[in-house]
CSV table of all heavy atoms in Angstrom, one decimal:
chain,number,residue,atom,x,y,z
A,1595,SER,N,122.7,107.2,101.3
A,1595,SER,CA,123.0,108.3,100.5
A,1595,SER,C,122.3,109.5,101.0
A,1595,SER,O,122.9,110.6,101.0
A,1595,SER,CB,122.5,108.0,99.1
A,1595,SER,OG,123.2,106.9,98.6
A,1596,LEU,N,121.1,109.4,101.5
A,1596,LEU,CA,120.4,110.6,101.9
A,1596,LEU,C,121.1,111.2,103.3
A,1596,LEU,O,121.2,112.3,103.5
A,1596,LEU,CB,118.9,110.3,102.3
A,1596,LEU,CG,118.0,110.1,101.2
A,1596,LEU,CD1,116.7,109.5,101.5
A,1596,LEU,CD2,117.9,111.4,100.4
A,1597,ARG,N,121.4,110.2,104.1
A,1597,ARG,CA,122.2,110.7,105.4
A,1597,ARG,C,123.4,111.5,105.1
A,1597,ARG,O,123.7,112.4,105.8
A,1597,ARG,CB,122.5,109.4,106.2
A,1597,ARG,CG,121.3,108.9,107.1
A,1597,ARG,CD,121.8,107.7,108.0
A,1597,ARG,NE,120.7,106.8,108.1
A,1597,ARG,CZ,120.6,105.7,107.5
A,1597,ARG,NH1,121.5,105.2,106.7
A,1597,ARG,NH2,119.5,104.9,107.7
A,1598,ASN,N,124.1,111.2,104.1
A,1598,ASN,CA,125.3,111.8,103.7
A,1598,ASN,C,125.0,113.3,103.2
A,1598,ASN,O,125.8,114.2,103.2
A,1598,ASN,CB,126.0,111.2,102.6
A,1598,ASN,CG,126.7,109.8,103.1
A,1598,ASN,OD1,126.9,109.7,104.2
A,1598,ASN,ND2,126.8,108.9,102.2
A,1599,ARG,N,123.8,113.5,102.7
A,1599,ARG,CA,123.4,114.8,102.2
A,1599,ARG,C,122.6,115.6,103.3
A,1599,ARG,O,122.5,116.9,102.9
A,1599,ARG,CB,122.5,114.6,100.9
A,1599,ARG,CG,123.2,114.0,99.7
A,1599,ARG,CD,122.2,113.5,98.7
A,1599,ARG,NE,123.0,113.1,97.5
A,1599,ARG,CZ,123.7,112.0,97.4
A,1599,ARG,NH1,123.7,111.1,98.5
A,1599,ARG,NH2,124.2,111.6,96.2
A,1600,LEU,N,122.3,115.0,104.3
A,1600,LEU,CA,121.5,115.8,105.3
A,1600,LEU,C,122.1,117.0,106.0
A,1600,LEU,O,121.5,118.1,106.1
A,1600,LEU,CB,121.1,114.9,106.4
A,1600,LEU,CG,119.9,114.0,106.0
A,1600,LEU,CD1,119.6,113.0,107.1
A,1600,LEU,CD2,118.7,114.6,105.6
A,1601,PRO,N,123.5,117.0,106.2
A,1601,PRO,CA,124.1,118.1,106.8
A,1601,PRO,C,124.0,119.4,105.9
A,1601,PRO,O,123.9,120.5,106.4
A,1601,PRO,CB,125.6,117.8,107.0
A,1601,PRO,CG,125.6,116.3,107.2
A,1601,PRO,CD,124.4,115.8,106.2
A,1602,VAL,N,124.1,119.3,104.6
A,1602,VAL,CA,124.0,120.4,103.7
A,1602,VAL,C,122.5,120.8,103.6
A,1602,VAL,O,122.2,122.1,103.7
A,1602,VAL,CB,124.4,120.0,102.3
A,1602,VAL,CG1,124.2,121.0,101.2
A,1602,VAL,CG2,125.9,119.6,102.3
A,1603,LEU,N,121.6,119.9,103.6
A,1603,LEU,CA,120.2,120.3,103.5
A,1603,LEU,C,119.7,120.9,104.8
A,1603,LEU,O,118.8,121.9,104.7
A,1603,LEU,CB,119.4,119.1,103.3
A,1603,LEU,CG,119.5,118.4,101.8
A,1603,LEU,CD1,118.9,117.0,101.7
A,1603,LEU,CD2,119.0,119.3,100.8
A,1604,VAL,N,120.2,120.6,105.9
A,1604,VAL,CA,119.8,121.2,107.2
A,1604,VAL,C,120.2,122.7,107.2
A,1604,VAL,O,119.5,123.4,107.9
A,1604,VAL,CB,120.4,120.4,108.4
A,1604,VAL,CG1,120.4,121.2,109.7
A,1604,VAL,CG2,119.8,119.1,108.5
A,1605,GLU,N,121.1,123.1,106.5
A,1605,GLU,CA,121.5,124.5,106.4
A,1605,GLU,C,121.1,125.1,105.1
A,1605,GLU,O,121.7,126.1,104.7
A,1605,GLU,CB,123.1,124.5,106.7
A,1605,GLU,CG,123.4,124.0,108.0
A,1605,GLU,CD,124.7,124.5,108.5
A,1605,GLU,OE1,125.1,125.7,108.2
A,1605,GLU,OE2,125.4,123.8,109.2
A,1606,ASP,N,120.2,124.6,104.4
A,1606,ASP,CA,119.7,125.2,103.2
A,1606,ASP,C,119.2,126.7,103.5
A,1606,ASP,O,118.6,127.0,104.6
A,1606,ASP,CB,118.6,124.5,102.6
A,1606,ASP,CG,118.3,124.8,101.2
A,1606,ASP,OD1,117.5,125.7,101.0
A,1606,ASP,OD2,118.9,124.2,100.3
A,1607,PRO,N,119.4,127.6,102.7
A,1607,PRO,CA,119.0,129.0,102.9
A,1607,PRO,C,117.4,129.2,102.9
A,1607,PRO,O,116.9,130.1,103.4
A,1607,PRO,CB,119.6,129.8,101.7
A,1607,PRO,CG,120.2,128.9,100.7
A,1607,PRO,CD,120.3,127.6,101.5
Side-chain angles (χ1 to χ4, degrees):
S1595 297
L1596 288 172
R1597 281 187 208 100
N1598 292 334
R1599 288 161 175 81
L1600 288 174
V1602 173
L1603 292 168
V1604 164
E1605 299 207 29
D1606 194 273

